[in-house]
Structures are given as C-alpha cells and as structure tokens.
Amino acid sequence: MVAEHYGGNYLILDRFLEVVDMQPHKAFIRFEEETYSYRDADELSSKAARVFLQSGRLRQGDTVALLLGNKPIFLLLWLGLMKMGCSVAFLNHNVRSKSLLHCFSRCGARTLVTDEVLVTNLGRSAEFLEAVEEVLPTLAEQQVHVYVLADRCEISGVETFNDKMRRASSEPVPKDLRSGVTLASAAVYIYTSGTTGLPKAVPISHGKIWAMSLCVSFIGLTSKDVVYASLPLYHSAGFMGCTSAIENGRFVLDHTSVRRLFRDPLRSKGHSCVKSNDRSHRVRLALGNGMRPEVWKEFISRFGEIQIREFYGATEGNFFLLNYSGKVGAVGRNFYLHRRYFPYSLIKYDVDQDEPCRDSAGFCIRAAPGEPGLLVSEISPDAPFSGYERDLQQTEKKKLHNVHKDGDTYFNTGDLLTVDREGFFYFSDRVGDTFRWERLLFYPAAVRFKLTVVLHRWKGENVSTAEVADVLTFLDCIKEATVYGVQVPGLTGQEGRAGMAAITVTGGRFDSVRVFQHVEEFLPTYARPRFIRIQVRKSEISPPQAQASLRGLICSSGTGFRPPWTSPAPSSTPRPGWWRKGSTRTGSRTPSTFWMKKPGVTSL
C-alpha cells in the first residue's frame, strides 16, 4: 500500500529531505530551551553520519545500537545512520548486565553509542556509561566499537563522539551510500518482552515505518499541529510520534519538557489536584493506548473536550486497531481495511491450559459477540509477520497454525479482547506469563502555548515473569521462584500490576541482603519485584525465623521501610494462567509478604 501511494523505494528519510528543502526554517524538535529546525537536523545528522564514515567501520546494511535517553541526538543519529543505509537498534536504557548483552547480541550490531548519564523528567538519573563499562570486557571480546556522547573519556576501549561530530563536515551524505535500501529493508530494531524470556528484537522495515506514520494521519493531524511525545523513543509508540511528524512536516516537542507542561497527575486519590486553569490550554487531541474508561471520563471532565484517539497494536504484530470515533473505553473499531488486508479472529481461549480451545476437527472456536477471545490475525503477504531477529524459536511460538482451516497461519497477539455488535473492540486481559507495570504519566494542567497533540501510553513496560524468575533462581538461597503481577489497592500514581515473587528457600535460610543486591544488579527498575512472598515449609523454618529474615531485607540498607505486618496488603492472588509452568503452589506453607524497596522510598 505504501509503495502504491508513494512509488518505488520512497523512504521516510526522503520525505524528511523534501521537508528540509520546502521549509528549512520550520521547527522540527523542541527540547527544553532549544529548538532545532529541519535544516539544523539535516546538517547535524550529516555531521553524525560523517563521524561513522570516517571511522571506516560501518557500511550499508550494518546495524548500530543506541543506549540513549530522549534527546535530540537520538533522532539526529537515527537520521544520520539512515543516510548511510544503516539500521538502528533502540536499546531500552533500563536494561543492565545480562539483559543488556542479550539485547545487544540480538540485533547483530558491532557499534554501540551511549551517553554518560540521563537525567529524567522526574529528576532521576541513569548511569549509562557505568552500565556499558560493566559489560565492556564482553563487548571488547566481540570486537564491538563503543562511542560515548562526550568530549573526553578516560575509560579504555570507549571513544568520544561529540568532539568528532563538532569537527565533521555538514555536507550532504551521498545518496549512493544507501542505494540498496528498499522498503523491505530493516530500518530499526525495537525490543519487546513479548510473553516469555528476555527482550526480543523486532525488525521494523522502512515500509512498516510508513504504515505506522500513515495510521497516525488517519486521526486528522495537520502540518500546523504541534506533537508532544511523552514516551521513550525506544518504544514503538514514542518513535511513531516522531516519524508521523516528519511525514506531515510537523513540530515535535520532546518529553523532557514534561515537568513544565504537565504539573500534576490526573489521579491523586485522597487529594484534590483540580485547578481553576485546568482548561487553559490548546490541546485538542490525545493519541495513545490503554486509557481506562473511568480515567477517560474524568480526563474529559477536568480538561475539557479533548478528542481521545485510542489505538491497539503490537510492535511485532501485523494488526492495528484505531478508535477513530472516540467511543469511551474502546481500543479500536472494525474497519473496511481489516476485511480487505488484515483478516482477524477472536477465538475462545482456555486460560488454565494456556492454549486456544479447538473443536473435534481440531480448528479454533470463534468467540461469541461480547465474549472475551484471543485476538489472532492472519499472516499473509499484505499482513506479514517478520518475527524476532535471531530468535526462530520465539518467532514460531507467536504463530498459530490450522486456526480455521488446514494450512492457515495466524499471529497470536497474546491479548484477550471483546467486540460488541457495533464493531468496537475492548481490551480484556493478557495471557501468558507477562504483566505490565507503569508509573503514571503526567497529563496537562496549565499548558499555555500552541500545543495541540499529546501522545500517551497506559502501560509503559512489559515484564517477562519467566525472565525475572530465572534471575531470582540464580541465587543459591532461592530454590523455586514464581513471578506474577498483582494489583495494589489504594496506591496513587501507578497503573498496571506490580511484580510479586513467590519463592521457596534452600536449606531454610533466606539471605535478604544478597537478594536485594542481586535484583538491583541484574534487573531493570521496572522489572524488579515490588513484593517477595516467602512460601515457607513448616518443617524447614519457623515463622519467627521467617520474620527475622524479612526484617533483615527490609532494614538491610537502613531505615525507611515499614514492617510487612503494617504495610498495606496487596492483592496476592495471581491471575489465572500467570503461574510459571513447572512451578508448584501446593502443600502446607506459611506465606510471608513484604515490600521490596530502597530505604526512604515511599512509593513503588
């Protein structure tokens, strides 16, 4: 469809260069107090490309990995590498150690670009260079070249980038350097946790970037709109906001200005956060996914008649839904393009057995209208599924065969949805061993300039329970680990489910300090269990000993924790089908649950 509309191998980069010629002085990126025009972005991205060219290490078809936060240089590097015909892997900057090495190896990159430190919009810092230095010996063995965005660096094996970019020429990069790039070529790699295991690299082709960008255009954005991107650029939804801006020549406002624009959370239970000037803004449209109906209604009531456009889609998926009519609570609506290009089906799913229900002939059974069903979409030339890079096993796990007839193949979204008689889809639940955890994004309070579009996301990160359980069982003191998501009643500022790890100990002794340090070292912040539930066999350890072990973990690094018996009790009942296969939850056990937090931290 993209090729028919634009013809040949017309890339999003070609559109960007057209906008540079047509309106070079139009603002492209605003970041904190800086504004970059399209010409600025073109020249700076060419300078970045020439740094790589002068190194002699990169050529068309190679991949470069970025471990960066949301800064203009993220987009400038991406544009510069596209000019060279290279693909770019967007590493989640929360991952560390084993997960970081795994993600890097999956994309096949031989060059890594990182920053020294990221200061987020909430004031937290992430030590990128420290994370890279930890795995540097392994990267050196693999002959990976590492750049840091700095003028000086004393770490052996790490080369500076900023000084070289400053001296590089801004002359246009010759087009013949990307002569072999087509719409089918991989443009970027975006990571998804999927349903099991470590993060997986999803190759996004240049054609799919166009498709993602054009989908955003369906909601009525114009070249005069200002787009505010509130998501990390390593997320497909955050990246889509930027590519759609290029497609229509719009202005992108990066997310680090959030603390000046969106002053307080929408939900602050028990506290009044409504202000008299809440409607003094020029936001007309919000695009994103996962906004609950009650939040949706409260949002409109508080901030005025802003159009909400909910969408549904997976990074690796071949199916997309858009709630273009704005019905509260719906994630999308059946569209004529679905019938022509993207056939789908909602099939009955056995949550306990963790598999679709099939009839006597072996075919899947369609769910009735209003009944939750597993969403699957047919894989075809019009709706391809490219799978996961260098992971054939996980790619095959996402395919369902012989769904409605012999020989057909469908993509398994892993999500249970319902559809009403008007064709509106509603999210019901997620199957498998993945839960989602999010810190609440900030919403508009007193925006007083020409911001017209907001991108939002409900659940920021998928967490693979299998990965977390595997990390926990590395420890000698943990015999078994089962990880699942739990809701935390009455907790403000969070959505989704927090991680609960139910464990059995080895030899009747729980090393609280070591567990805390191990989790902090090997798991990104969002994947760390917020609760640990010790399943104690009465024959192994007495309740007083268990409480002493718990108190040791709670107080191991100082004060600031409440004892488990005074903490608000989370819902500890796992969702059906979320128990890790192979683990046991039977027998006579005395459970003890506690918060797993750092000293002085009062929220999850």
Side-chain angles (χ1 to χ4, degrees), residues 484 486 499-502 530-536 546-547 550 554 562-573 590-596:
Y484 51 93
V486 294
M500 168 79 80
R530 265 48 187 184
F531 306 98
I532 284 188
R533 186 179 185 89
I534 300 181
Q535 304 288 97
V536 184
Q547 290 185 354
L550 290 172
I554 294 169
R562 290 186 294 177
W565 48 86
T566 63
S567 299
S571 172
S572 58
T573 303
T590 303
S592 298
T593 304
F594 63 92
W595 297 81
M596 192 169 185

Side-chain angles (χ1 to χ4, degrees), residues 220-237:
L221 299 181
T222 71
S223 60
K224 295 182 180 180
D225 279 324
V226 177
V227 177
Y228 167 78
S230 62
L231 296 170
L233 293 177
Y234 61 74
H235 272 305
S236 53

Side-chain angles (χ1 to χ4, degrees), residues 216-424:
V216 177
S217 300
F218 289 157
I219 66 174
L221 299 181
T222 71
S223 60
K224 295 182 180 180
D225 279 324
V226 177
V227 177
Y228 167 78
S230 62
L231 296 170
L233 293 177
Y234 61 74
H235 272 305
S236 53
F239 181 62
M240 180 174 65
C242 298
T243 59
S244 63
I246 293 173
E247 195 275 323
N248 272 327
R250 293 185 301 273
F251 164 58
V252 177
L253 178 66
D254 210 354
H255 94 295
T256 48
S257 300
V258 68
R259 58 182 174 272
R260 290 186 290 110
L261 303 181
F262 297 165
R263 303 275 178 85
D264 55 73
L266 176 62
R267 289 173 303 289
S268 181
K269 299 187 185 305
H271 302 278
S272 175
C273 56
V274 177
K275 296 182 174 61
S276 60
N277 60 353
D278 278 342
R279 297 194 176 206
S280 300
H281 60 76
R282 303 184 68 168
V283 179
R284 69 175 186 86
L285 182 70
L287 172 69
N289 55 354
M291 182 177 281
R292 293 186 302 173
E294 60 269 27
V295 177
W296 192 323
K297 293 175 182 177
E298 186 180 349
F299 185 91
I300 297 299
S301 173
R302 177 176 170 185
F303 297 110
E305 291 301 320
I306 299 172
Q307 300 175 56
I308 305 294
R309 294 294 179 262
E310 183 92 358
F311 71 86
Y312 169 88
T315 302
E316 71 273 40
N318 62 346
F319 186 77
F320 181 87
L321 288 170
L322 178 65
N323 181 358
Y324 50 87
S325 59
K327 185 171 183 178
V328 174
V331 300
R333 191 176 190 181
N334 193 15
F335 196 48
Y336 75 91
L337 287 177
H338 294 138
R339 295 187 292 272
R340 181 175 178 183
Y341 296 105
F342 313 110
Y344 69 90
S345 183
L346 287 177
I347 59 176
K348 292 186 177 183
Y349 191 81
D350 188 328
V351 177
D352 293 327
Q353 296 298 319
D354 197 19
E355 63 183 16
C357 300
R358 294 184 181 263
D359 59 21
S360 58
F363 299 123
C364 296
I365 304 170
R366 296 182 189 272
E371 179 185 10
L374 177 68
L375 176 63
V376 295
S377 53
E378 188 171 14
I379 299 173
S380 67
D382 287 327
F385 168 54
S386 58
Y388 306 111
E389 190 73 7
R390 304 185 180 205
D391 200 336
L392 182 61
Q393 182 181 13
Q394 292 297 331
T395 297
E396 288 303 313
K397 282 186 177 181
K398 295 297 289 185
K399 297 178 182 179
L400 282 179
H401 300 281
N402 303 323
V403 175
H404 293 305
K405 61 182 180 181
D406 287 328
D408 65 9
T409 305
Y410 280 67
F411 171 74
N412 179 1
T413 66
D415 291 327
L416 298 178
L417 278 75
T418 59
V419 61
D420 63 20
R421 297 189 182 278
E422 297 180 69
F424 286 100

Side-chain angles (χ1 to χ4, degrees), residues 530-593:
R530 265 48 187 184
F531 306 98
I532 284 188
R533 186 179 185 89
I534 300 181
Q535 304 288 97
V536 184
R537 296 184 186 276
K538 291 181 179 180
S539 60
E540 292 180 353
I541 189 170
S542 65
Q545 288 175 311
Q547 290 185 354
S549 294
L550 290 172
R551 194 175 296 109
L553 177 55
I554 294 169
C555 304
S556 61
S557 300
T559 59
F561 289 99
R562 290 186 294 177
W565 48 86
T566 63
S567 299
S571 172
S572 58
T573 303
R575 299 160 67 186
W578 280 37
W579 286 89
R580 189 168 175 239
K581 290 184 177 180
S583 61
T584 304
R585 52 171 175 158
T586 59
S588 177
R589 296 168 186 260
T590 303
S592 298
T593 304

